[in-house]
Amino acid sequence: MNRRIAGEISGRRYEVVIGDLLDDLIREHLEKYGQKRMFISAGLKGTYRERLASLTGRDNLVEIRDGENQKSFDAYSSVVSSLLSAGLPRNVLLSYAGGGTLGDLIGFVSSTYKRGTPFMAIPTTLLAQVDSSIGGKNGVNLSGVKNAIGTFHLPEKVFCDTSFLNDLVISDGLSEMVKYGVVGDATIIDNLMELRGDSILSQNELLTSLVEKCVSMKMDVVSKDIHDTKGVRSVLNFGHTVGHAIESVSGNSISHGRAIAAGMIIESRMSELAEICEDPVSPVLSNVFWMIGIDVPRPDSTWGQEIMSYVRNDKKVEGGMVKLPVPLRIGRMGSLDVDLESFGKLASRAMEDLWR
Ligand SMILES: NC(=O)c1ccc[n+]([C@@H]2O[C@H](COP(=O)([O-])OP(=O)(O)OC[C@H]3O[C@@H](n4cnc5c(N)ncnc54)[C@H](O)[C@@H]3O)[C@@H](O)[C@H]2O)c1
């Protein structure tokens, strides 16, 4: 059964639909628009591509290379130029079918082309379904800085269609699901543990209900802090401070999901060592990642230094103090407020403890 979650932010209504094979609903929305362009990920081959072509019309479909390197100002400029050459007006519906990188790029184009067009999303990786397609953030990387330019621009509709998911695009999203479990809904962790090693793709009803739980939680958090200025959205950064540093030290050879998994374990252990947690979370995390088949990377000697250089430049650091969202127990978050030196010591001790 399809699930619909409606939201309203600053007077703008939008809706996320979650289900399996949402073609009729997608077509219905597309048919409301005379002019449209759908950008689809080069990773969507065969029947995925054919389905999307029949939904939007072959002439309106543009295949585009994606991935982190394509989330660039050059790619942005080339997409905008193609829209201008086609003479498309500002009420053209721009949409994408792909992962978070394509969503961030096309969201940014949609928000800026002729000062903003209608926008629709078909996220096709688990990470994009539970995270990046929700919340209105978009952007491209510039001069080696991730998301250096971007805006907030909400799609009118997001179609989280689980039939687009496959083994290649699941694992990073699973880590984010675990994050939602720790941050606010412990049943997500229980549900993942019940899989007992089976692939989540083999249980569509469970997959749909987990995507729904994560989307609801993100929409709720975002509705209270759309522009990420009140500190409410920061809980969703759990695991990402240390995780992003790990991703960066590996030159992106460690995937986002694996890096975030390690980040969540290390940050939880830091809250245990600082004695602010009520119930240790790091052992639960190690267990759940093992159960769902996420191969958490082991730290090497360069991590401590890299984490510190990343944290020094992080926007969460103010006046030499770090405000790190950490779990007090599963389902309840707190904040670890420490100076940079103590942060470094806690991170090093956490890594030693965890991977002795
Ligand atoms: N805007 C936000 O709020 C937000 C939040 C979290 C992450 N992000 C961004 O999301 C990006 C990561 O997104 P991602 O993990 O989806 O990676 P991605 O977009 O790079 O996609 C991963 C790979 O999967 C391929 N692909 C996509 N769908 C497929 C499918 N169904 N079958 C086979 N291959 C498929 C793509 O071609 C790509 O090679 C990062 O740039 C990150 O910064 C944004």
Side-chain angles (χ1 to χ4, degrees):
M1 201 184 62
N2 301 337
R3 331 275 166 112
R4 289 171 183 262
I5 312 173
E8 186 168 326
I9 292 179
S10 313
R12 270 202 69 190
R13 289 175 58 73
Y14 67 107
E15 187 181 53
V16 182
V17 188
I18 302 156
D20 187 28
L21 289 171
L22 298 174
D23 296 27
D24 289 346
L25 296 174
I26 298 173
R27 184 178 293 108
E28 194 182 298
H29 191 69
L30 286 164
E31 280 174 356
K32 292 183 184 154
Y33 288 85
Q35 309 240 42
K36 51 203 158 227
R37 274 290 179 283
M38 182 184 284
F39 294 87
I40 77 158
S41 156
L44 291 167
K45 307 278 186 212
T47 50
Y48 291 141
R49 196 194 146 91
E50 287 311 308
R51 267 174 71 194
L52 291 162
S54 86
L55 287 174
T56 194
R58 220 161 274 281
D59 293 346
N60 299 320
L61 191 90
V62 182
E63 184 181 302
I64 186 163
R65 274 201 297 152
D66 51 1
E68 201 59 41
N69 292 338
Q70 299 304 314
K71 209 174 108 175
S72 67
F73 198 73
D74 285 351
Y76 166 78
S77 162
S78 131
V79 173
V80 170
S81 301
S82 73
L83 299 176
L84 288 172
S85 320
L88 290 167
R90 68 179 298 194
N91 63 356
V92 59
L93 175 71
L94 296 184
S95 62
Y96 74 90
T101 54
L102 190 59
D104 280 2
L105 172 68
I106 302 305
F108 184 45
V109 171
S110 170
S111 119
T112 50
Y113 181 69
K114 301 199 172 173
R115 298 207 175 88
T117 78
F119 181 41
M120 184 189 101
I122 308 178
T124 63
T125 65
L126 185 59
L127 180 131
Q129 296 198 351
V130 298
D131 193 357
S132 64
S133 65
I134 313 295
K137 284 186 182 177
N138 58 51
V140 296
N141 309 328
L142 189 74
S143 304
V145 180
K146 201 171 152 76
N147 304 324
I149 332 171
T151 68
F152 293 89
H153 184 59
L154 286 167
E156 302 168 341
K157 294 265 186 191
V158 180
F159 293 101
C160 294
D161 185 332
T162 54
S163 69
F164 282 104
L165 301 177
N166 53 59
D167 283 330
L168 295 174
V169 292
I170 282 290
S171 74
D172 284 351
L174 281 175
S175 284
E176 296 291 348
M177 275 187 168
V178 170
K179 177 193 78 182
Y180 286 106
V182 174
V183 166
D185 183 350
T187 65
I188 295 176
I189 307 263
D190 298 339
N191 291 156
L192 287 171
M193 296 292 267
E194 281 158 22
L195 282 169
R196 298 185 194 290
D198 284 348
S199 167
I200 195 165
L201 291 170
S202 64
Q203 300 193 28
N204 198 267
E205 192 48 39
L206 178 63
L207 174 60
T208 310
S209 111
L210 284 173
V211 172
E212 182 187 13
K213 284 181 184 184
C214 299
V215 168
S216 302
M217 200 188 303
K218 181 147 185 193
M219 283 175 76
D220 183 46
V221 170
V222 166
S223 70
K224 295 174 185 142
D225 186 14
I226 175 73
H227 293 116
D228 201 2
T229 49
K230 299 181 188 154
V232 180
R233 275 179 95 149
S234 66
V235 289
L236 300 177
N237 280 330
F238 165 52
H240 285 60
T241 303
V242 170
H244 279 152
I246 296 169
E247 237 181 319
S248 136
V249 70
S250 77
N252 294 324
S253 69
I254 296 178
S255 76
H256 180 75
R258 292 179 65 221
I260 297 310
M264 284 192 270
I265 296 178
I266 293 167
E267 291 180 10
S268 301
R269 183 68 191 140
M270 288 167 72
S271 94
E272 290 153 26
L273 291 168
E275 296 182 0
I276 60 165
C277 86
E278 296 159 2
D279 209 4
V281 171
S282 64
V284 182
L285 285 174
S286 300
N287 195 19
V288 72
F289 287 130
W290 180 75
M291 287 283 284
I292 61 179
I294 301 221
D295 174 23
V296 181
R298 291 179 71 85
D300 69 35
S301 55
T302 58
W303 280 22
Q305 228 180 348
E306 188 67 24
I307 289 170
M308 285 321 291
S309 79
Y310 183 87
V311 171
R312 269 189 210 100
N313 293 314
D314 195 84
K315 58 179 186 289
K316 288 183 281 304
V317 179
E318 271 180 37
M321 294 292 289
V322 188
K323 251 179 121 50
L324 190 72
V326 287
L328 304 181
R329 56 181 152 80
I330 299 280
R332 194 166 122 80
M333 293 296 285
S335 177
L336 176 62
D337 299 349
V338 282
D339 59 45
L340 275 167
E341 192 185 335
S342 311
F343 180 96
K345 284 185 182 152
L346 280 172
S348 298
R349 273 187 60 204
M351 286 188 278
E352 273 164 34
D353 272 15
L354 290 162
W355 284 278
R356 242 195 304 251

